[in-house]
């Protein structure tokens, strides 16, 4: 864990400092929104990270379900990764929602609107809250299996949510990346986006690794104490 | 043939139990009736407004009511270690799940048969769109509710405060289904838009999640 911190912390802090400098001082002020648009450099990376880590969670859950009988050791590692990435999803999702609201208030004049991307993002948040609640409410070995199953449900549900809300209504601006003409960013804004994206990515990955290692330690301690209890019972039986 | 017979055996047992106790149906019926009355007090709707909102009220009432019954559906298997016996039985686990879904589907449908006329009376409803489409929306919506509901009830069966956990994990996953049910019902009642897209979506949702639940149920049942 120390090694992760020693490598990850300086890199991510340096990248984030550079990102802050780019976003606050180098990037030009947006023509219509003014300085408030600078929150975009934090909103966008958080949203991207919140869309990235659910895939890690889903993949790790699938590995867990596939290997929980044949290779329990690998399954345990996969479950630790699933837990770590689920918590990271929730954090980035919360930041994305909060910064989005702060941005929407001055620009749209409202804190919240039930539009396609906002609502599906909120649903993602809700589903991962319920995922972590399930993990908290269950005990013993079944936690991991049940959570992995719920993760599969989440992965299938989120695209359906997105499509259904898309048919329902929409207000969020069309995609900045790969959107239609006139939807792109000014080229001078790109460095700030990239630096922040890189910085938050390294930061997120570092936290996932730390959380993963913490969970592995917890699993190890749990197995160790179970083993000791087993040995003690063998002693008394003899 | 054997699969069908296993499903039927489970289903007949559940129906007989329900016929003798009438726990689920009575509870659900009175609960959803109360929700309907409470919403009527809370909004005090005029005829035009009630046409707009009653689709939402109907489905939210059914969602809440079905949660009360779904919580009971597996608990009864816990007594005398029946569930452990089910787990050891050589019959496919998905047959057990399917029969529970069918039983819950029948119970909730019965609620709708009673609740539907009451709704029309209390909210002065008259469908402006094609009213017969409700015969499609109601079963599809009910299936969407009970498939995931039965699955998540089994999932939260051996957890602490399971009564609490079921709605917490069921509602977020059911959001698209609820949206489709409410939108199609409102479209039928007001006649302002075409419910076709939402009905198709509801059908797709049913197929996807029924398949997923049947595939994953054995994992849930065997989770230790």
């Amino acid at each position: 864990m120390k090694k992760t911190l020693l490598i990850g912390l300086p890199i991510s802090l340096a990248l984030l400092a550079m990102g802050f400098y780019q976003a606050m001082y180098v990037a030009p002020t947006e023509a219509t929104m003014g300085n408030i648009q600078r929150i975009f450099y934090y909103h966008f990376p958080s949203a991207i990270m919140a869309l990235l880590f659910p895939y890690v969670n889903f993949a790790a859950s699938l590995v867990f379900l596939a290997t929980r009988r044949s290779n329990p050791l690998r399954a345990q590692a996969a479950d630790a990764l699933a837990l770590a990435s689920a918590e990271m999803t929730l954090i980035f999702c919360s930041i994305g929602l909060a910064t989005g609201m702060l941005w929407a208030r001055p620009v749209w004049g409202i804190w919240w609107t039930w539009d396609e991307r906002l609502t599906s993002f909120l649903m993602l948040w809700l589903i991962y809250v319920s995922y972590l609640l399930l993990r908290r409410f269950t005990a013993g070995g079944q936690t991991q299996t049940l959570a992995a199953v719920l993760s599969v449900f989440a992965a299938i549900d989120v695209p359906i949510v997105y499509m259904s809300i898309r048919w329902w209504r929409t207000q969020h601006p069309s995609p900045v990346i790969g959107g239609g003409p006139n939807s792109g960013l000014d080229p001078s804004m790109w460095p700030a986006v990239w630096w922040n994206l890189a910085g938050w990515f390294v930061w997120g990955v570092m936290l996932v690794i730390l959380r993963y290692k913490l969970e592995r330690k917890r699993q190890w301690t749990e197995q160790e104490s179970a083993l000791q209890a087993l040995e003690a019972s063998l002693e008394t039986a003899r | 043939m054997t699969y069908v017979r296993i499903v039927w055996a489970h289903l007949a047992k559940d129906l007989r139990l329900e016929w003798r106790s009438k726990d689920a149906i009575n509870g659900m019926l009175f609960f959803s009736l109360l929700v309907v009355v409470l919403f009527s007090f809370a909004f005090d709707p005029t005829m035009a407004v009630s046409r707009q909102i009653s689709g939402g009220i109907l489905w939210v009432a059914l969602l809440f009511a079905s949660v009360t019954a779904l919580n009971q559906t597996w608990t009864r298997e816990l007594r005398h270690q029946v569930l452990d016996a089910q787990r050891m039985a050589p019959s496919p686990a998905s047959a057990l799940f399917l029969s529970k879904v069918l039983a819950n589907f029948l119970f909730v449908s019965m609620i709708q048969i009673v609740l539907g006329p009451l709704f029309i009376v209390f909210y002065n409803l008259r469908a402006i769109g094609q009213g017969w489409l409700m015969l499609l929306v109601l079963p599809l919506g009910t299936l969407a509710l009970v498939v995931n509901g039965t699955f998540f009830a089994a999932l939260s069966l051996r957890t602490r405060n399971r009564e609490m956990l079921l709605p917490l994990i069921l509602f977020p996953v059911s959001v698209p289904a609820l949206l489709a049910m409410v939108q199609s019902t409102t479209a039928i009642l007001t006649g302002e838009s075409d419910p076709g897209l939402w009905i198709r979506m509801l059908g797709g949702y049913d197929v996807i999640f029924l398949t997923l639940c049947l595939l994953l149920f054995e994992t849930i049942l065997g989770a230790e």
Side-chain angles (χ1 to χ4, degrees):
Chain A
M1 288 178 93
K2 266 192 193 135
K3 215 196 276 173
T4 318
L5 267 179
L6 228 58
I7 300 170
L9 205 57
I11 295 179
S12 57
L13 284 183
L15 283 171
L16 286 174
M18 187 61 185
F20 182 79
Y21 170 73
Q22 289 280 345
M24 294 301 153
Y25 299 104
V26 178
T29 311
E30 216 267 349
T32 48
M33 291 184 250
N35 274 328
I36 187 68
Q37 182 265 345
R38 291 180 196 277
I39 204 172
F40 166 77
Y41 302 116
Y42 293 90
H43 176 66
F44 178 70
S46 316
I48 293 294
M49 293 304 129
L51 297 180
L52 177 73
F53 285 110
Y55 287 102
V56 181
N57 172 264
F58 178 50
S61 300
L62 282 186
V63 171
F64 174 83
L65 283 178
T67 59
R68 80 203 146 94
R69 296 256 190 268
S70 55
N71 191 346
L73 288 177
R74 180 182 296 165
Q76 290 296 320
D79 180 67
L81 184 60
L83 174 63
S85 50
E87 289 183 350
M88 201 46 54
T89 304
L90 198 57
I91 290 175
F92 276 120
C93 216
S94 310
I95 298 175
L97 284 171
T99 51
M101 284 184 201
L102 289 176
W103 190 13
R105 177 67 185 143
V107 174
W108 292 342
I110 39 174
W111 291 107
W112 183 261
T113 170
W114 294 99
D115 118 293
E116 97 186 53
R117 247 165 276 190
L118 276 72
T119 313
S120 36
F121 214 67
L122 180 67
M123 289 306 132
L124 182 72
W125 188 84
L126 286 178
I127 287 176
Y128 273 93
V129 170
S130 69
Y131 174 89
L132 291 177
L133 270 177
L134 175 70
R135 291 199 75 116
R136 173 144 303 182
F137 278 2
T138 47
Q142 51 169 328
T143 308
Q144 302 168 332
T145 316
L146 300 185
V149 168
L150 189 61
S151 166
V152 174
F153 269 82
I156 290 177
D157 200 49
V158 169
I160 299 179
V161 168
Y162 183 76
M163 284 318 291
S164 67
I165 294 167
R166 187 178 196 139
W167 290 325
W168 193 32
R169 56 182 58 158
T170 198
Q171 172 161 9
H172 197 280
S174 62
V176 170
I177 318 279
N182 302 326
S183 73
L185 278 183
D186 191 79
S188 57
M189 291 175 175
W190 275 110
V193 172
W194 286 120
W195 282 108
N196 274 305
L197 207 53
W200 289 110
F201 178 73
V202 176
W203 177 256
V205 169
M206 181 186 77
L207 285 188
V208 165
I209 294 175
L210 284 176
R211 184 68 184 89
Y212 168 81
K213 290 188 170 168
L214 193 65
E215 179 65 12
R216 291 294 282 167
K217 277 198 173 153
R218 195 198 58 75
Q219 287 175 352
W220 191 80
T221 325
E222 202 176 85
Q223 283 163 8
E224 196 66 8
S225 56
L227 204 62
Q228 271 170 11
L230 202 64
E231 276 169 1
S233 70
L234 286 178
E235 289 289 324
T236 46
R238 195 182 299 160
Chain B
M1 185 59 206
T2 43
Y3 191 86
V4 177
R5 277 179 60 192
I6 294 166
V7 171
W8 173 247
H10 283 304
L11 182 61
K13 180 213 69 177
D14 269 344
L15 291 182
R16 194 177 308 130
L17 273 174
E18 183 59 30
W19 176 251
R20 287 180 187 162
S21 68
K22 299 185 187 63
D23 282 346
I25 292 206
N26 281 341
M28 271 200 287
L29 192 58
F30 194 55
F31 187 90
S32 46
L33 186 64
L34 283 178
V35 174
V36 169
V37 173
L38 284 181
F39 272 124
S40 191
F41 283 132
F43 294 118
D44 194 13
T46 60
M47 202 166 156
V49 173
S50 69
R51 194 169 282 140
Q52 294 283 346
I53 63 169
S54 55
I57 294 173
L58 172 71
W59 284 109
V60 170
L62 282 172
L63 184 62
F64 286 172
S66 52
V67 164
T68 60
L70 288 167
N71 265 325
Q72 302 302 320
T73 172
W74 294 102
T75 338
R76 114 181 0 144
E77 307 284 335
L78 279 181
R79 250 174 273 148
H80 309 302
Q81 278 77 44
V82 178
L83 200 68
D84 290 330
Q86 304 274 27
R87 216 183 294 154
M88 282 186 286
S91 63
S94 61
L96 172 66
F97 175 74
L98 199 59
S99 68
K100 286 278 182 195
V101 168
L102 288 176
N104 284 323
F105 178 79
L106 287 176
F107 300 158
V108 178
S109 300
M110 266 178 238
I111 302 299
Q112 287 168 347
I113 290 171
V114 182
L115 205 61
L118 277 175
F119 235 81
I120 296 171
V121 172
F122 279 162
Y123 288 87
N124 294 312
L125 287 180
R126 198 175 58 82
I128 295 181
Q130 296 151 297
W132 61 270
L133 275 175
M134 281 309 286
L135 293 178
L136 213 58
V137 174
L138 282 173
L140 285 176
T142 311
L143 194 63
L145 285 186
V146 297
V147 164
N148 278 344
T150 312
F151 188 84
F152 286 135
L155 194 149
S156 54
L157 185 61
R158 277 159 295 171
T159 61
R160 281 178 280 137
N161 25 11
R162 58 165 168 268
E163 317 257 300
M164 183 79 220
L165 189 60
L166 173 63
L168 294 186
I169 53 181
L170 175 62
F171 290 174
V173 174
S174 299
V175 163
L178 187 73
L179 195 60
M181 296 166 205
V182 174
Q183 291 301 315
S184 52
T185 309
T186 310
I188 289 170
L189 288 178
T190 58
E192 281 165 8
S193 55
D194 178 31
L197 172 71
W198 294 109
I199 295 176
R200 277 202 299 278
M201 191 197 135
L202 210 48
Y205 184 95
D206 284 347
V207 171
I208 290 172
F209 279 97
L210 188 60
T211 318
L212 187 65
C213 290
L214 286 174
L215 287 176
L216 284 175
F217 184 69
E218 193 147 14
T219 315
I220 288 297
L221 191 68
E224 261 320 312

